[in-house]
């Protein structure tokens, strides 16, 4: 059972307050008790030392020494003892002989009797200091001193002070100490109350079990959703993140790390820096295309930070490209079916009309033009993935009335180790080149693709017949969102291609912006993308 369940009706902050006050009371009480004990001990020692000094002075008096040696009771000894008692406010001054018989006592009837408290140590030549004993006059703090005559002990002097006087002084000091203790208690209680108030304000009045439940719920939500979540504070330091965010961004997101030290997309940094709401922003992270949403968080007009969510659009883009390829293939097959049907109808009509020579000539013409369709690249490219990609792009170019051809020096006899990276780089470069060629003034529109293997490194070059890259875009061509296309959602292809190439230790760059006799020339270097010769 949790500790807070022991007090189900009492708030945790109140429990803390009562506990703190209880601790303060206990500490103050123990302090007062300790001080009282020390005060009593000190005062007892002081009274004992005072009694010892008086007893020494009396024991050194020649009259007392002579009277004790002669065992004379009363008389001068009684006078001396009463005078010292009156002058020192002592409870008693008692003089005895070496047989412990009283020679002087405040009560005359006690003279000549045996002392009530033994004085063996004093008669043995030792001084007794601060002894609390009960005698005929009550409990007192007393000291005893031997009376020497030469080298012989002839008696002893006992001086005592009433314990009530000691107790009175102790009580006065305890009262004074208690006043300070009460002040300390009030101060401690006040500090505890302020701390309790501060605790309520910091926790917004939530109980510990409620805070625990909130923590569990936060962890469940953060790590249970399929989106990446990243929260930064007002100083742009990471405060909250989940595993999905680290996976999508491809970088560790340690709590407390400044956003500037993370390898994030410029678009993401800009979204956080501006503090404006962002919806469905496309950004590149590694080889992924992410959809980013951003919201600034405020509380009572005070900025608390920014929360970003990430969704992976890479799979969706892959499916979209595959669907486009299938659609293009379907359209091509449909066009071929219609074309084939039209040719059959024409041939059937010629035969029905008896124009056999014309039908034979028509068949010969169809046989010669059938090879115009896109064919596999043959022995120049051996990898099946590259062959399929080139056939698909060639069909796509033909559909748009353009030509995609391989350069004369193209030669790749090795197998591709990462078809996805190869498709990302080559596919995006060819797509951009086809678009540029179609939008350019030169006809026929064409794109030339060069592929060359150098060990395990694949070199790619793509040149189009378009107008070239405008000078205003050359320095930022590979930035996210930069595109010559007017439709929204573009500007990610080149950025993705560069990220994929750099992930393999290579790069993609603009070798020639074009604009003269040819269009732009893009070059890519992909180390480690090839293995041994394809079988």
């Amino acid at each position: 059972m949790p500790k807070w369940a022991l007090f189900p009706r009492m708030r945790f902050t109140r429990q803390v307050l009562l506990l703190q006050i209880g601790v303060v009371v206990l500490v103050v009480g123990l302090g007062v008790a300790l001080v009282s004990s020390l005060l009593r001990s000190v005062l007892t020692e002081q009274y004992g030392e005072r009694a010892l000094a008086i007893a020494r002075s009396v024991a050194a008096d020649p009259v007392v020494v002579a009277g004790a040696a002669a065992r004379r009771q009363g008389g001068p000894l009684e006078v001396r003892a009463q005078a010292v008692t009156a002058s020192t406010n002592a409870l008693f001054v008692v003089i005895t002989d070496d047989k412990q018989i009283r020679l002087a006592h405040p009560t005359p009837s006690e003279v000549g009797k045996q002392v009530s408290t033994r004085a063996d140590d004093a008669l043995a030549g030792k001084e007794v200091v601060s002894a609390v004993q009960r005698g005929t006059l009550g409990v007192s703090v007393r000291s005893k001193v031997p009376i020497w005559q030469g080298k012989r002990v002839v008696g002893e002097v006992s001086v005592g002070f009433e314990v009530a006087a000691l107790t009175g002084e102790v009580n006065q000091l305890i009262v004074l100490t208690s006043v300070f203790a009460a002040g300390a208690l009030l101060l401690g209680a006040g500090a505890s109350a302020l701390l309790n108030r501060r605790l309520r304000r910091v926790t917004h009045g939530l109980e510990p079990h409620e805070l625990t439940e909130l923590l569990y719920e936060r962890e469940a939500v953060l790590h249970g959703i399929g989106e990446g979540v990243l929260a930064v504070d007002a100083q742009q330091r990471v405060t909250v993140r989940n595993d999905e965010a680290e996976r999508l961004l491809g970088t560790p997101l340690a709590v407390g790390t400044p956003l500037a030290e993370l390898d994030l997309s410029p678009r993401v940094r800009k979204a956080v820096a501006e503090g404006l709401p962002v919806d469905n922003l496309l950004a590149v992270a590694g080889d992924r295309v992410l959809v980013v949403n951003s919201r600034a968080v405020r509380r009572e007009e005070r900025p608390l930070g920014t929360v970003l969510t990430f969704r992976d659009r890479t799979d969706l883009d892959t499916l979209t490209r595959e669907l486009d390829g299938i659609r293009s293939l379907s359209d091509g097959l449909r066009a071929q079916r219609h074309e084939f049907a039209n040719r059959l109808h024409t041939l059937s009509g010629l035969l029905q009309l008896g124009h056999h020579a014309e039908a034979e000539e028509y068949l010969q013409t169809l046989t010669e033009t059938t090879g115009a369709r896109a064919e596999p690249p043959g022995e120049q490219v051996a990898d099946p993935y590259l062959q399929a990609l080139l056939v698909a792009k060639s069909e796509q170019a033909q559909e748009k009335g353009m030509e995609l051809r391989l350069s004369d020096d193209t030669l790749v006899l090795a197998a591709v180790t990462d078809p996805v990276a190869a498709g990302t780089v080559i596919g995006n470069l060819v797509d951009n080149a086809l678009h540029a060629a179609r939008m350019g003034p030169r006809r026929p529109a064409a794109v030339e693709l060069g592929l060359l293997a150098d060990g395990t490194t694949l070199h790619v070059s793509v040149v189009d017949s378009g107008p070239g890259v405008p000078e205003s875009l050359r320095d930022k061509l590979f930035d996210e969102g930069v595109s010559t296309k007017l439709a929204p959602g573009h500007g990610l292809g080149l950025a993705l291609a560069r990220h994929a190439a750099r992930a393999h230790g290579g790069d993609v760059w603009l070798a020639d912006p074009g604009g003269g006799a040819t269009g732009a020339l893009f070059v890519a270097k992909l180390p480690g993308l090839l293995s041994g010769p394809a079988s």
Side-chain angles (χ1 to χ4, degrees), residues 268-418:
V268 176
R269 297 181 188 277
K270 184 177 180 181
V272 176
E274 292 179 351
L276 299 176
V278 174
D279 294 312
N280 300 327
L281 174 69
L282 296 181
V284 175
D287 57 350
R288 300 179 184 275
V289 178
L290 304 181
V291 180
V292 183
N293 290 275
S294 173
R295 290 291 183 274
V297 182
R298 293 179 175 271
R299 180 179 177 84
E300 298 177 356
E301 300 303 323
R302 183 168 62 93
L304 300 182
T306 305
V307 177
L308 300 99
T309 59
F310 307 92
R311 285 181 285 120
D312 192 357
R313 189 181 158 180
T314 306
D315 296 337
L316 180 60
D317 284 349
T318 301
L319 292 175
T320 302
R321 286 195 297 269
E322 292 179 356
L323 180 60
D324 290 341
I326 294 174
R327 185 181 292 112
S328 298
L329 180 61
S330 176
D331 292 341
L333 291 175
R334 187 181 300 109
Q336 290 182 29
R337 183 176 63 83
H338 284 293
E339 184 180 358
F340 185 69
N342 291 332
R343 292 174 178 178
L344 287 179
H345 292 157
T346 302
L347 182 61
S348 176
L350 290 174
L351 292 175
Q352 290 177 7
L353 294 175
H355 299 294
H356 298 286
E358 287 80 357
E360 184 178 354
E361 183 180 355
Y362 184 69
L363 283 175
Q364 183 66 31
T365 303
L366 291 179
T367 303
E368 293 176 355
T369 59
T370 302
R373 287 292 171 185
E375 296 181 356
E379 296 181 355
Q380 288 178 286
V381 178
D383 183 78
Y385 294 105
L386 291 181
Q387 289 181 353
L389 178 63
L390 293 176
V391 169
K393 293 302 178 183
S394 297
E395 289 286 348
Q396 182 181 350
Q398 290 183 11
E399 288 290 332
K400 298 178 180 179
M402 295 181 291
E403 180 186 2
L404 173 63
R405 59 178 178 265
L406 289 176
S407 63
D408 295 336
D409 58 352
T410 293
L411 184 62
V412 179
L413 302 180
V416 174
T417 59
D418 190 348

Side-chain angles (χ1 to χ4, degrees), residues 24-25 27-29 31-32 35 39 171-189:
V24 172
V25 170
V27 171
V28 170
V32 171
V35 169
L39 287 176
N171 291 339
Q172 290 179 0
L173 294 175
I174 290 177
V175 170
L176 183 61
T177 304
S178 299
V179 172
F180 285 100
L185 178 60
L186 292 176
L187 182 61

